[in-house]
Every structure is written in structure tokens, then in C-alpha cells.
Amino acid sequence: MATFLYRIGRWAFRRRRLVGGLWLGVLVLAVGAAVLAPAGEEEDLAMPGTESQKAFDLLDERFPQSNSQGAEARLVFQAPDGQRVTAGRNKATVEDAIGSLDRGEQIASTTDPYATGAVSKDGTIAYSTITYTADAVDLTASTKSALEEAASRVRDAGLTVEIGGSALDAEEELGGTTEMIGVAVAAVVLVLALGSLVAAGLSLLTAFVGVAVAFGLVSALSAPLGLTSTVAILALMLGLAVGIDYALFITSRYRDERARGSEPEDAAGLAVGTAGSAVVFAGATVIIALVGLGVVGIPELTKMGMGGAGAVALAVLVALTLVPALFGFFGRRVLSRAVRKNVRPAGEANRPSGEVTWQSGEAPGPGSERPQSSHGAGGRPGLGSRWARFVLRRPVAVLMVAGLGLGAVALPALSLELGLPGDESKSVETTQRRAYDLLSEGFGPGFNGPLTVVVDLSRSADPRATTDLVAKTVRAVDGVESVGVAVLDRAEDTAVLTAVPRTAPTSGATKDLVHAIRDAAPGVEVDTGAGVLVTGTTALNIDISEAMSDALVPYLSVVIGLAVLLLTVVFRSLLVPVKAALGFLLSVGAAFGVLVAVFQWGWAADLIGIEQTGPVMSLMPILIIGIVFGLAMDYEVFLLTRMREAHVHGASPGEAIVNGFRHSGRVVAAAAIIMISVFAGFIGMNSPTIQTMGVGLAAAVAFDAFVVRMAIAPAVLALLGHRAWWLPRILNRVLPNVDIEGEALSGHVPALADASDTAVRRLPVGRD
């Protein structure tokens, strides 16, 4: 693979105008397709195979008209203190507002609260349901303006009115200013890490190209494939983070090769052949983990995984082709000012730097930079080397502090509760949240999460009597506030009842109530032959959350097994993969602990605008595992590749660790800060889903990069010594050699082979 990528890097450098033109064409086509494509619909979550989903499918079959309606809005009215909405003037104001909407465009129906009994017992709160003929994304501006104007007239009359329902959901912005702050932080980190505005700009430019293409493709395919805005945001988030990181890794290696005297074209080939090999492997792990989300069985999660995987694949392609092409366009300006003084333009000999001898542990494989001394430039060890030597002196202490610290942060994860956010999780500044609160105040906390009981009467001898028995049975279950009048279809083979719980939709008591109704159903089914199914948004959310909990351990086992297998192939070691997998478990557990502390317990929730605590979104744990697995392998590969390079060339275990941190520590730290900044930039968005994802991913990357990979990993390697790189002979013969260090490139660049041979001959035989 290294040889193949080496040729790609050289070709892209030589044919930079062709490569740049091709990517520009792809970008224009993707953006054009996105602009011309129709907007996609925001589909509800579905969970095939669950009882709630079976009930929805039955309703689609037996009640097609009721399930094919468009968006819905709910106007919630509250009378001033001491008054009632049933009073003459207030009632006239409410009826006036509803009547103005009834004559509007895209209106399917409106309800009169005074005719339907949608008035609270104390007469202070009432609501009207407005059903539209189109989905929320297809509602025109004039239709939404009419809704707002009706509410405004009611407010002018002295009443309080708020708007709930799905009609306004499409107005939530996909972005904001906080993600721009994250990108700005990433830009500053790139400049500091690379010491060149041009090199930093190159990494940002290539990342933006990949993200723009991915975002354009997701937007263009949103309507035919049913991709939601969450899929687009995940593609944006992942594509931006990994795109910057992958470009940074290859750019850093290119600058190293130029600094040691390689010609620009050779340096581009070597950078893509070595760092590019790691990029391909790292990207492949992210893609595999994301595509694997499809095994859970939730269509929305599958789409999110596929969209994110596509964005990562584009980031890899951009890094392997467009990045080396831009090396050719920018020339020596990619290099830092200090290196530029000693590097001549292509074709001219570089300034001689004197004879160089490799010190112990400083003889990595082909393409590595030549150190001037055992400490690097100027004879002073860098921060990475100093940290590595500190860990080598105190491996047990570092391991204990880091491991116990992550364990303590992970403890809240034992209280993890899963659910799906609704209007109750939105900011109190939004009208949807205020409408939710008014309905809870007027009609009880369970009103916002009614349960739908679907009765299949196709095998019942007496449909009416069976329906009455079901209503009586449901009404008798403890926790049911009320049961509405049953509605039968024309064929009288299906009945629908609405049961209102006494508790809120996300309450644990409501979850118990759903199971209690389902436990009571078999008795009715045996006596009548009818089928009783409990569904509704609340029941579906409960089913999805339970399915996510059940799938968490199997999916985590698959991911861990995959990590061990892939790392065994890459590093040709058994203990290194096991160490990496256990470290990944620690970082993910700590990230879950942060999610519980912030979103369930409310710790520091005010800092990020979380006003309502509740269960963690049920999709988050599996989604974070899938994403963080790939990112964790990024850091593992980029850091340990340099260690293995030194080890296979005879360096002692300790110096191999120092070598890895000397060459990759700074770049990995910069890459981690960039990812954290990008993910944290999405915390300020209005969507609870994206906020949870931003917090979880930022925390997981921080724990994995700085605690697991930079503290626990070197401490464990130091304690294991030579045993860390042990591999049974039979596996050594069977496993393929992926050559991620680029050993095969020495045959293509003779000078590098000579340097490597000389380095090995000069290595001391002593061991730490």
C-alpha cells in the first residue's frame, strides 16, 4: 500500500493542475446539485420489529387518511390572571384567530377548543390543533406568517398564546456562530503547530473542499434517500474534523521530508506513502465503525452512519490527492521560515548540514527526518520528548493517576438513562417549549405524551364489545389519567384509543406504564381474539431507547474485536492492540460519564445553555462509540507508527517511545485540539441532538488523545518493554504485511535505504 500511495503522491504533485481542476469540478457539481435538489423531509424515527412500529404500520394500512396528513401546529391560549378563556371577550378573540387560519392556504383542518372540550378544568388554558396539507419543510412563508400573525393578534388582545407542534420545527437553523469559533480555534492551532500561514491555510482549504462536496451530496440526496438535517450536520462535523487532521498529518510529514533534503516531488510521494498509509487505515476504521451502525436496525441511525462514512471517505481522498497537488502550487511557502532558509527550490542542492549520526532510538524507517542531536534541533529536547521521558521514569504513577482519574469520571455512566428529546428539552426562549409547559400546566404532565392503543379486531366476533373491554382494561391500569373515546375504521376491524398518562413523557413512571398496559393486553387477546398494540411517539421513544440499550454491548464488542484485529495486523503485536482497546473503553466510559453529569444531572448545564435535564438521547452512546472508535485509532496509529519504526530498526523500548513522541506527539496533540474545537463548536446549536453529540465527542476525543494515548499508552508500553511487540510465529506468518511504516519505499528512494542502513549500523546494542 505504501508504494501505491507513494506513486499517487508523486502523480498528484506532478499533475497538480489536473488534480485541482478535477476537484474544482466535483465541488461545483456537488454544490449545484444541492442548490437544484428539492428539500428533504424531516422523517420521524422508526424502529422496525418493535410493537410500537408494528402498530404504526397497522394504522398506515387501516387508517391511511389519518396517517398521511402533513405538518401540525397547536395554538395554546392562556387567559390573563383572574380571567378564563371561556369568558365572552376572550372566547371571541380565540375563535377569531382560529377562524382566520381556517380560511388560509395549505390548511387541512382546524379544531374549535370549545366544541372539542380542549379547555382546562379551571378554564384558564385552551388549545386548537391546526393540520396542514403539506409537511413542515414544504410550508410556504405566507402560511407560517399567517400562523404568527394570528398569534400576534391574540397577544394584542391581552391573552398569552404559544405555538407548538411540528410546523415550526423546520425553522431551526442548521448552524450558528459557535461552530465558526471552533473553526477559528482550529486555524490558530494549525498556525502554531505548523509555523506557517500557508501550511495552515492549506489544511483548512482541503478540509473545506471535502466538507463542501460531502454536504452538497447529502443535500442533493436528501429527498430521494430521506436524509434529514441531522445527517447533513454529522457529515459536516466529521468531515471538517478529520479533513483538517488528515491534511495536517500529511503536511507535517511532507515538511519533515523537505527538511531532511528530499526533492519536492519525492517528499510529496513519501508523505503520502507513509503518513498517507496511516490516513487510509485511520479513515477505514472510522468508515467501518460508522457503516456498522446499520446493524442496530434503526433507519435514521443507518443514514447518519452512511452520511458520516461518506464524508470521511471524501476527506481521505482529498488528503491523498489534493493535498500533495497543493504542495506543488504553494512550493516552499508550505515550509516554516526556519526550514525555508536551508531548503532551496526544486533542482538545487540544499545547504549541507554536516555529518549526522543517529542516536539510540532515532533511526526510524525510510522518510524520517534526521535529528541534529539526541534532543533535536538546538540540542534541547522538545515537549514531546520531555513528557515521554517523564512517563518512562514514573510509569506506574502515571498509569495509576490517569486510569483512576478516567474511572472516576466514568462513574456517572452507571446511571445512564436513554430517551429521545422533545419540546420539553428545548430552551424556554422558544415558543414550542412554552407551549409544552402551558399544556402540562393546564392538562397534566402526561398530556404532551399520550399513548395510542391500537386494537386489531379482524379476528374478534364482537368488535364493539371488544373495544369497550380494551378501554376498560387500559383505564384500570395504575398511572392512566384518562382514556379517550375509541375510533373505529369503516370496516370495524381496527379501533384506536388514546390513553393519557399521569406522568411526563420522559418519566420512568411512563415507561413502566407502557409495559404495564402491554402486560395487561394478553388477557384481553385470549378472551376476544383481538390484537392489542401500544404505540404513539412516547411508546416508540421508549422502544427505541430499550433497543439501543440492548444493542450497546453487542455493538461495543464488535467494535473492540475489530480494533484488536486491525491493530494486530498493523503493528504485528498482540499486547499493543489489547492495550489500545482497553484504553478506548476507558475514554468512551468517561465520555458517557460527562453526558450523564451534564444532561441528566445538570452539572455545568447553564454554561452550554441546557435548561432542562433529562435522559441522554438514546442514539448517542452507539453513535459516539462508532465515531470515537475510528478517531481513537487515528491517534493510536499516528503515535505508535513512529515507535514501531524505531523498534524494528533496533531501538530500545524506552527510546522507541521517546522517538514516537518526538516525531508525532506535537502533531497528534494539535490534531486532537482541532477535533475538540470543531466538535465543541456545535454545542451552541439549538438542536438537543447536536448539542449532546458535540459534548460527547469533544469529551471523548480529549480523554482518548491526552489521557489514554499520551499517558496510559506510553506507561503501559514502558512496563511491558520488549514484550509489547511480541507476536506468535504462526500469526507472523499468516497475517498480511500492510507496511504502514513505508518500509517498501526504501527500494524506490535509494538514498533513503542507504540512510536507513547506516542508521541501523550505528545503533548501540544496549537496551533500556
Side-chain angles (χ1 to χ4, degrees):
M1 183 172 66
T3 303
F4 174 70
L5 294 177
Y6 169 78
R7 291 170 179 165
I8 288 180
R10 286 174 58 92
W11 175 84
F13 185 92
R14 284 197 311 271
R15 302 296 179 89
R16 47 187 172 273
R17 289 181 177 81
L18 173 61
V19 173
L22 288 175
W23 276 113
L24 180 61
V26 171
L27 177 61
V28 171
L29 289 175
V31 173
V35 171
L36 297 175
E41 299 179 3
E42 293 295 315
E43 297 181 353
D44 294 329
L45 280 175
M47 187 70 194
T50 61
E51 178 174 324
S52 54
Q53 190 61 48
K54 291 177 182 176
F56 275 128
D57 295 340
L58 183 63
L59 288 175
D60 284 335
E61 178 186 343
R62 308 279 177 86
F63 286 89
Q65 292 82 9
S66 63
N67 273 348
S68 61
Q69 61 190 16
E72 184 179 275
R74 186 173 278 172
L75 281 176
V76 186
F77 309 94
Q78 184 181 38
D81 291 342
Q83 300 183 28
R84 297 188 175 189
V85 291
T86 53
R89 181 181 175 186
N90 292 338
K91 181 179 179 181
T93 300
V94 171
E95 290 177 334
D96 233 18
I98 298 171
S100 68
L101 290 173
D102 198 26
R103 298 184 296 270
E105 296 179 356
Q106 296 184 300
I107 299 292
S109 65
T110 61
T111 61
D112 182 351
Y114 306 106
T116 59
V119 180
S120 63
K121 292 180 180 179
D122 60 4
T124 60
I125 297 174
Y127 70 89
S128 171
T129 301
I130 299 95
T131 304
Y132 294 90
T133 58
D135 293 315
V137 293
D138 295 324
L139 294 181
T140 63
S142 61
T143 298
K144 294 180 181 180
S145 296
L147 184 63
E148 296 282 2
E149 289 170 4
S152 180
R153 286 194 298 272
V154 175
R155 293 189 186 101
D156 291 341
L159 278 73
T160 298
V161 60
E162 302 296 346
I163 306 173
S166 61
L168 297 183
D169 287 347
E171 293 186 347
E172 293 185 358
E173 297 180 359
L174 291 183
T177 58
T178 53
E179 59 266 37
M180 290 296 99
I181 296 175
V183 174
V185 172
V188 172
V189 173
L190 282 171
V191 172
L192 294 177
L194 297 174
S196 167
L197 284 172
V198 172
L202 183 150
S203 297
L204 287 174
L205 174 62
T206 53
F208 285 144
V209 169
V211 165
V213 173
F215 195 83
L217 291 176
V218 170
S219 300
L221 297 173
S222 60
L225 298 183
L227 305 181
T228 63
S229 60
T230 305
V231 178
I233 293 174
L234 179 62
L236 175 64
M237 182 188 299
L238 273 179
L240 193 58
V242 301
I244 294 174
D245 277 4
Y246 293 165
L248 169 62
F249 289 131
I250 292 179
T251 301
S252 177
R253 191 65 182 241
Y254 172 78
R255 285 153 53 96
D256 290 345
E257 299 302 333
R258 292 286 283 130
R260 67 180 297 275
S262 297
E263 289 295 315
E265 186 176 323
D266 289 335
L270 289 166
V272 175
T274 52
S277 296
V279 164
V280 170
F281 171 80
T285 57
V286 182
I287 292 170
I288 291 171
L290 289 173
V291 172
L293 293 173
V295 303
V296 178
I298 297 182
E300 175 65 11
L301 192 61
T302 301
K303 293 172 185 176
M304 292 173 70
M306 296 299 292
V312 173
L314 280 169
V316 172
L317 290 175
V318 168
L320 298 179
T321 56
L322 185 58
V323 170
L326 291 181
F327 292 157
F329 282 117
F330 289 116
R332 296 168 67 249
R333 286 173 293 176
V334 176
L335 309 178
S336 64
R337 185 175 301 176
V339 175
R340 219 178 298 165
K341 295 177 181 178
N342 294 321
V343 175
R344 300 298 188 188
E348 296 183 18
N350 295 330
R351 294 181 183 178
S353 56
E355 183 179 356
V356 177
T357 58
W358 296 98
Q359 304 297 322
S360 175
E362 294 182 345
S368 300
E369 60 264 61
R370 281 178 203 258
Q372 294 177 348
S373 72
S374 62
H375 301 301
R380 183 186 177 190
L383 180 60
S385 297
R386 295 200 301 272
W387 169 251
R389 295 192 184 281
F390 170 81
V391 175
L392 288 173
R393 289 193 298 269
R394 302 172 180 84
V396 176
V398 170
L399 183 59
M400 293 294 291
V401 171
L404 292 177
L406 282 184
V409 177
L411 281 178
L414 298 176
S415 303
L416 178 66
E417 296 178 7
L418 300 180
L420 290 174
D423 286 347
E424 78 283 353
S425 64
K426 294 180 179 178
S427 168
V428 292
E429 301 299 322
T430 64
T431 186
Q432 293 100 321
R433 168 62 186 278
R434 293 194 294 267
Y436 178 95
D437 291 341
L438 283 178
L439 290 171
S440 295
E441 178 186 341
F443 302 93
F447 182 82
N448 286 292
L451 303 175
T452 301
V453 181
V454 181
V455 187
D456 184 359
L457 302 169
S458 58
R459 298 182 181 178
S460 174
D462 189 345
R464 296 282 178 176
T466 299
T467 302
D468 291 340
L469 178 60
V470 172
K472 181 181 178 180
T473 302
V474 173
R475 196 176 289 114
V477 176
D478 186 29
V480 174
E481 178 69 23
S482 63
V483 178
V485 177
V487 178
L488 278 74
D489 64 346
R490 292 181 179 179
E492 292 194 349
D493 60 359
T494 308
V496 179
L497 302 92
T498 299
V500 177
R502 292 176 187 159
T503 50
T506 57
S507 168
T510 302
K511 176 181 177 180
D512 295 337
L513 174 62
V514 171
H515 289 297
I517 295 175
R518 288 173 174 170
D519 291 341
V524 177
E525 293 172 342
V526 170
D527 294 339
T528 65
V532 181
L533 302 171
V534 181
T535 187
T537 302
T538 300
L540 179 61
N541 291 349
I542 291 171
D543 287 345
I544 289 177
S545 299
E546 291 180 347
M548 290 296 95
S549 298
D550 294 341
L552 193 59
V553 173
Y555 181 70
L556 188 58
S557 301
V558 171
V559 168
I560 293 297
L562 180 64
V564 172
L565 176 62
L566 292 178
L567 290 179
T568 299
V569 173
V570 170
F571 293 118
R572 310 191 75 76
S573 163
L574 284 182
L575 296 180
V576 166
V578 171
K579 178 269 305 173
L582 294 177
F584 167 69
L585 283 177
L586 274 176
S587 57
V588 167
F592 290 171
V594 170
L595 289 179
V596 171
V598 174
F599 292 94
Q600 284 184 213
W601 298 352
W603 293 6
D606 292 341
L607 296 178
I608 58 176
I610 303 297
E611 300 175 1
Q612 179 68 40
T613 59
V616 175
M617 185 180 178
S618 54
L619 302 182
M620 283 303 107
I622 281 184
L623 196 59
I624 288 175
I625 288 173
I627 295 172
V628 174
F629 163 69
L631 303 183
M633 296 307 102
D634 282 5
Y635 305 129
E636 183 77 11
V637 169
F638 287 113
L639 198 57
L640 265 71
T641 295
R642 289 300 186 100
M643 295 183 191
R644 188 173 185 276
E645 286 184 35
H647 171 74
V648 298
H649 285 89
S652 64
E655 284 302 320
I657 294 172
V658 174
N659 182 80
F661 275 89
R662 177 185 299 120
H663 295 304
S664 299
R666 183 180 181 185
V667 177
V668 169
I673 294 173
I674 289 169
M675 276 207 183
I676 294 168
S677 302
V678 172
F679 291 146
F682 286 84
I683 295 175
M685 295 186 65
N686 293 328
S687 169
T689 302
I690 304 303
Q691 282 185 313
T692 307
M693 196 183 303
V695 171
L697 291 177
V701 170
F703 293 139
D704 196 86
F706 293 108
V707 182
V708 173
R709 307 304 157 191
M710 293 198 173
I712 293 178
V716 171
L717 291 176
L719 293 173
L720 291 176
H722 288 289
R723 294 184 297 274
W725 306 102
W726 172 77
L727 183 70
R729 291 183 179 179
I730 185 171
L731 288 180
N732 193 40
R733 291 194 300 267
V734 172
L735 292 178
N737 184 9
V738 297
D739 188 25
I740 201 169
E741 299 89 0
E743 285 292 315
L745 296 182
S746 59
H748 293 268
V749 188
L752 295 178
D754 295 340
S756 180
D757 292 341
T758 303
V760 173
R761 287 196 300 269
R762 291 179 179 175
L763 278 171
V765 296
R767 294 284 183 267
D768 284 359

PDB file of all heavy atoms in Angstrom, residues 11-24:
ATOM      1  N   TRP A  11       2.321  11.479  -8.454  1.00  0.00           N
ATOM      2  CA  TRP A  11       1.481  11.809  -9.612  1.00  0.00           C
ATOM      3  C   TRP A  11       0.658  13.065  -9.352  1.00  0.00           C
ATOM      4  O   TRP A  11       0.555  13.943 -10.207  1.00  0.00           O
ATOM      5  CB  TRP A  11       0.554  10.633  -9.909  1.00  0.00           C
ATOM      6  CG  TRP A  11      -0.427  10.923 -11.011  1.00  0.00           C
ATOM      7  CD1 TRP A  11      -0.217  10.821 -12.353  1.00  0.00           C
ATOM      8  CD2 TRP A  11      -1.777  11.382 -10.845  1.00  0.00           C
ATOM      9  NE1 TRP A  11      -1.354  11.187 -13.046  1.00  0.00           N
ATOM     10  CE2 TRP A  11      -2.324  11.542 -12.153  1.00  0.00           C
ATOM     11  CE3 TRP A  11      -2.571  11.669  -9.742  1.00  0.00           C
ATOM     12  CZ2 TRP A  11      -3.625  11.975 -12.352  1.00  0.00           C
ATOM     13  CZ3 TRP A  11      -3.870  12.101  -9.952  1.00  0.00           C
ATOM     14  CH2 TRP A  11      -4.385  12.253 -11.243  1.00  0.00           C
ATOM     15  N   ALA A  12       0.058  13.164  -8.160  1.00  0.00           N
ATOM     16  CA  ALA A  12      -0.755  14.332  -7.828  1.00  0.00           C
ATOM     17  C   ALA A  12       0.100  15.592  -7.802  1.00  0.00           C
ATOM     18  O   ALA A  12      -0.350  16.668  -8.210  1.00  0.00           O
ATOM     19  CB  ALA A  12      -1.441  14.131  -6.478  1.00  0.00           C
ATOM     20  N   PHE A  13       1.346  15.469  -7.342  1.00  0.00           N
ATOM     21  CA  PHE A  13       2.242  16.629  -7.317  1.00  0.00           C
ATOM     22  C   PHE A  13       2.568  17.087  -8.739  1.00  0.00           C
ATOM     23  O   PHE A  13       2.535  18.280  -9.048  1.00  0.00           O
ATOM     24  CB  PHE A  13       3.522  16.263  -6.564  1.00  0.00           C
ATOM     25  CG  PHE A  13       4.470  17.417  -6.362  1.00  0.00           C
ATOM     26  CD1 PHE A  13       4.410  18.194  -5.211  1.00  0.00           C
ATOM     27  CD2 PHE A  13       5.422  17.732  -7.322  1.00  0.00           C
ATOM     28  CE1 PHE A  13       5.284  19.252  -5.033  1.00  0.00           C
ATOM     29  CE2 PHE A  13       6.287  18.786  -7.155  1.00  0.00           C
ATOM     30  CZ  PHE A  13       6.227  19.551  -5.998  1.00  0.00           C
ATOM     31  N   ARG A  14       2.880  16.105  -9.615  1.00  0.00           N
ATOM     32  CA  ARG A  14       3.228  16.443 -10.998  1.00  0.00           C
ATOM     33  C   ARG A  14       2.028  16.979 -11.766  1.00  0.00           C
ATOM     34  O   ARG A  14       2.141  17.933 -12.524  1.00  0.00           O
ATOM     35  CB  ARG A  14       3.768  15.202 -11.732  1.00  0.00           C
ATOM     36  CG  ARG A  14       5.175  14.822 -11.362  1.00  0.00           C
ATOM     37  CD  ARG A  14       5.766  13.877 -12.409  1.00  0.00           C
ATOM     38  NE  ARG A  14       4.873  12.778 -12.729  1.00  0.00           N
ATOM     39  CZ  ARG A  14       4.852  11.619 -12.091  1.00  0.00           C
ATOM     40  NH1 ARG A  14       5.680  11.412 -11.083  1.00  0.00           N
ATOM     41  NH2 ARG A  14       4.008  10.658 -12.460  1.00  0.00           N
ATOM     42  N   ARG A  15       0.883  16.346 -11.587  1.00  0.00           N
ATOM     43  CA  ARG A  15      -0.325  16.720 -12.332  1.00  0.00           C
ATOM     44  C   ARG A  15      -1.242  17.595 -11.466  1.00  0.00           C
ATOM     45  O   ARG A  15      -2.447  17.426 -11.467  1.00  0.00           O
ATOM     46  CB  ARG A  15      -1.058  15.459 -12.766  1.00  0.00           C
ATOM     47  CG  ARG A  15      -0.240  14.509 -13.612  1.00  0.00           C
ATOM     48  CD  ARG A  15       0.132  15.149 -14.947  1.00  0.00           C
ATOM     49  NE  ARG A  15       0.935  14.260 -15.769  1.00  0.00           N
ATOM     50  CZ  ARG A  15       0.445  13.383 -16.620  1.00  0.00           C
ATOM     51  NH1 ARG A  15      -0.865  13.278 -16.746  1.00  0.00           N
ATOM     52  NH2 ARG A  15       1.244  12.615 -17.349  1.00  0.00           N
ATOM     53  N   ARG A  16      -0.660  18.527 -10.772  1.00  0.00           N
ATOM     54  CA  ARG A  16      -1.423  19.317  -9.815  1.00  0.00           C
ATOM     55  C   ARG A  16      -2.546  20.122 -10.471  1.00  0.00           C
ATOM     56  O   ARG A  16      -3.605  20.305  -9.886  1.00  0.00           O
ATOM     57  CB  ARG A  16      -0.501  20.236  -9.016  1.00  0.00           C
ATOM     58  CG  ARG A  16       0.514  21.016  -9.832  1.00  0.00           C
ATOM     59  CD  ARG A  16       1.467  21.741  -8.885  1.00  0.00           C
ATOM     60  NE  ARG A  16       2.592  22.365  -9.570  1.00  0.00           N
ATOM     61  CZ  ARG A  16       3.732  21.754  -9.858  1.00  0.00           C
ATOM     62  NH1 ARG A  16       3.884  20.459  -9.564  1.00  0.00           N
ATOM     63  NH2 ARG A  16       4.725  22.381 -10.453  1.00  0.00           N
ATOM     64  N   ARG A  17      -2.309  20.618 -11.673  1.00  0.00           N
ATOM     65  CA  ARG A  17      -3.365  21.385 -12.337  1.00  0.00           C
ATOM     66  C   ARG A  17      -4.554  20.491 -12.680  1.00  0.00           C
ATOM     67  O   ARG A  17      -5.715  20.886 -12.526  1.00  0.00           O
ATOM     68  CB  ARG A  17      -2.814  22.060 -13.597  1.00  0.00           C
ATOM     69  CG  ARG A  17      -1.870  23.208 -13.295  1.00  0.00           C
ATOM     70  CD  ARG A  17      -1.357  23.875 -14.565  1.00  0.00           C
ATOM     71  NE  ARG A  17      -0.515  25.012 -14.255  1.00  0.00           N
ATOM     72  CZ  ARG A  17       0.773  24.934 -13.920  1.00  0.00           C
ATOM     73  NH1 ARG A  17       1.358  23.734 -13.861  1.00  0.00           N
ATOM     74  NH2 ARG A  17       1.459  26.012 -13.634  1.00  0.00           N
ATOM     75  N   LEU A  18      -4.267  19.269 -13.141  1.00  0.00           N
ATOM     76  CA  LEU A  18      -5.336  18.328 -13.449  1.00  0.00           C
ATOM     77  C   LEU A  18      -6.098  17.948 -12.178  1.00  0.00           C
ATOM     78  O   LEU A  18      -7.343  17.948 -12.161  1.00  0.00           O
ATOM     79  CB  LEU A  18      -4.755  17.076 -14.105  1.00  0.00           C
ATOM     80  CG  LEU A  18      -5.733  15.915 -14.345  1.00  0.00           C
ATOM     81  CD1 LEU A  18      -6.855  16.349 -15.288  1.00  0.00           C
ATOM     82  CD2 LEU A  18      -4.988  14.699 -14.895  1.00  0.00           C
ATOM     83  N   VAL A  19      -5.363  17.640 -11.108  1.00  0.00           N
ATOM     84  CA  VAL A  19      -5.996  17.241  -9.845  1.00  0.00           C
ATOM     85  C   VAL A  19      -6.839  18.389  -9.291  1.00  0.00           C
ATOM     86  O   VAL A  19      -7.991  18.205  -8.877  1.00  0.00           O
ATOM     87  CB  VAL A  19      -4.937  16.798  -8.822  1.00  0.00           C
ATOM     88  CG1 VAL A  19      -5.578  16.552  -7.460  1.00  0.00           C
ATOM     89  CG2 VAL A  19      -4.222  15.544  -9.304  1.00  0.00           C
ATOM     90  N   GLY A  20      -6.256  19.589  -9.284  1.00  0.00           N
ATOM     91  CA  GLY A  20      -7.003  20.742  -8.790  1.00  0.00           C
ATOM     92  C   GLY A  20      -8.247  21.010  -9.615  1.00  0.00           C
ATOM     93  O   GLY A  20      -9.321  21.312  -9.074  1.00  0.00           O
ATOM     94  N   GLY A  21      -8.132  20.879 -10.928  1.00  0.00           N
ATOM     95  CA  GLY A  21      -9.286  21.095 -11.800  1.00  0.00           C
ATOM     96  C   GLY A  21     -10.376  20.066 -11.573  1.00  0.00           C
ATOM     97  O   GLY A  21     -11.570  20.393 -11.584  1.00  0.00           O
ATOM     98  N   LEU A  22      -9.974  18.802 -11.369  1.00  0.00           N
ATOM     99  CA  LEU A  22     -10.964  17.748 -11.132  1.00  0.00           C
ATOM    100  C   LEU A  22     -11.735  17.997  -9.830  1.00  0.00           C
ATOM    101  O   LEU A  22     -12.967  17.875  -9.799  1.00  0.00           O
ATOM    102  CB  LEU A  22     -10.267  16.384 -11.084  1.00  0.00           C
ATOM    103  CG  LEU A  22      -9.756  15.837 -12.420  1.00  0.00           C
ATOM    104  CD1 LEU A  22      -8.972  14.546 -12.199  1.00  0.00           C
ATOM    105  CD2 LEU A  22     -10.919  15.592 -13.385  1.00  0.00           C
ATOM    106  N   TRP A  23     -11.025  18.358  -8.775  1.00  0.00           N
ATOM    107  CA  TRP A  23     -11.696  18.611  -7.504  1.00  0.00           C
ATOM    108  C   TRP A  23     -12.581  19.850  -7.587  1.00  0.00           C
ATOM    109  O   TRP A  23     -13.659  19.895  -6.992  1.00  0.00           O
ATOM    110  CB  TRP A  23     -10.684  18.749  -6.372  1.00  0.00           C
ATOM    111  CG  TRP A  23     -10.266  17.421  -5.814  1.00  0.00           C
ATOM    112  CD1 TRP A  23      -9.043  16.825  -5.888  1.00  0.00           C
ATOM    113  CD2 TRP A  23     -11.100  16.510  -5.086  1.00  0.00           C
ATOM    114  NE1 TRP A  23      -9.050  15.606  -5.276  1.00  0.00           N
ATOM    115  CE2 TRP A  23     -10.308  15.387  -4.767  1.00  0.00           C
ATOM    116  CE3 TRP A  23     -12.423  16.530  -4.687  1.00  0.00           C
ATOM    117  CZ2 TRP A  23     -10.807  14.301  -4.055  1.00  0.00           C
ATOM    118  CZ3 TRP A  23     -12.928  15.448  -3.974  1.00  0.00           C
ATOM    119  CH2 TRP A  23     -12.116  14.350  -3.663  1.00  0.00           C
ATOM    120  N   LEU A  24     -12.134  20.859  -8.329  1.00  0.00           N
ATOM    121  CA  LEU A  24     -12.969  22.041  -8.510  1.00  0.00           C
ATOM    122  C   LEU A  24     -14.254  21.677  -9.252  1.00  0.00           C
ATOM    123  O   LEU A  24     -15.348  22.142  -8.893  1.00  0.00           O
ATOM    124  CB  LEU A  24     -12.194  23.121  -9.278  1.00  0.00           C
ATOM    125  CG  LEU A  24     -12.950  24.431  -9.546  1.00  0.00           C
ATOM    126  CD1 LEU A  24     -13.348  25.088  -8.224  1.00  0.00           C
ATOM    127  CD2 LEU A  24     -12.087  25.378 -10.381  1.00  0.00           C
TER     128      LEU A  24
END
